[in-house]
Amino acid sequence: MNRILKDQGQVTVTIEKEPPRQPEILHLLHQSDLYAQSLYPAESNHLVDIKTLEKPEVGFFVARHDGAIVGCCALVDAGDGTAEIKRMFVDPKARGLKIGRKLLERIEAHGLEIGLNAIRLETGIYQPEAINLYRSAGYADIEAFGNYLPDPLSLFMEKPLG
């Protein structure tokens, strides 16, 4: 169980592996879709759907603040010793509680548990908070990977594990 301090009281944040097909998560993913659509054209949005998130090679993690769902993140195993972060999103009402950092720490721990060599991601250039989070956690810029094509609106990053 993860705990952080907020104001003068103790705020409890838990991050656990959960199924993605839950009404609150579907709502959160919809918020994520709308946010991405407000920043980027369709060809630069690389969101995965709920069916992809339910595949066996995907670890889907849910952040709860005092029991309420406030964030999510998926780790998609590529089958080559790497995995990709997908659908990292924190409810705007929960921003400032360091939910994104806690999700990132949890999926990195999961990556180590399943024997990954590295974690990769694609994020957009208009998301400075996400970029700063990843860079501060040790992710470095790389070339486009997997099925991605170079895109001036995308940043590709990787962090070795182990």
Side-chain angles (χ1 to χ4, degrees):
M1 190 177 298
N2 299 308
R3 293 181 183 268
I4 58 175
L5 294 176
K6 179 72 174 172
D7 300 324
Q8 295 180 356
Q10 192 90 341
V11 175
T12 303
V13 175
T14 60
I15 299 177
E16 301 293 338
K17 205 171 180 183
E18 294 188 30
R21 198 176 292 271
Q22 300 178 49
E24 298 93 341
I25 293 171
L26 294 173
H27 177 71
L28 196 64
L29 293 174
H30 180 68
Q31 286 183 64
S32 171
D33 292 346
L34 294 175
Y35 178 65
Q37 291 165 4
S38 76
L39 296 175
Y40 306 103
E43 64 272 10
S44 293
N45 272 322
H46 306 287
L47 304 172
V48 295
D49 62 17
I50 191 74
K51 289 181 184 176
T52 299
L53 296 174
E54 293 175 313
K55 290 184 177 181
E57 65 271 16
V58 177
F60 190 81
F61 293 86
V62 175
R64 292 178 180 268
H65 169 231
D66 291 338
I69 293 174
V70 293
C72 62
C73 183
L75 190 63
V76 181
D77 193 329
D80 63 357
T82 69
E84 182 182 359
I85 295 171
K86 297 298 286 182
R87 300 307 298 240
M88 167 91 76
F89 189 75
V90 175
D91 188 318
K93 292 178 255 169
R95 301 242 167 102
L97 296 175
K98 304 213 182 285
I99 303 295
R101 180 157 311 274
K102 296 288 185 189
L103 280 163
L104 192 57
E105 290 169 356
R106 181 63 186 96
I107 62 169
E108 288 175 0
H110 178 70
L112 286 168
E113 290 165 11
I114 63 173
L116 295 176
N117 299 318
I119 294 178
R120 296 175 174 168
L121 63 93
E122 178 275 336
T123 193
I125 63 170
Y126 301 132
Q127 295 168 268
E129 296 86 359
I131 295 165
N132 290 338
L133 170 66
Y134 297 131
R135 287 196 171 133
S136 71
Y139 288 77
D141 294 358
I142 60 170
E143 297 296 319
F145 62 91
N147 294 325
Y148 290 107
L149 298 175
D151 182 337
L153 299 179
S154 289
L155 286 177
F156 303 95
M157 306 177 93
E158 179 180 84
K159 180 178 181 176
L161 298 181

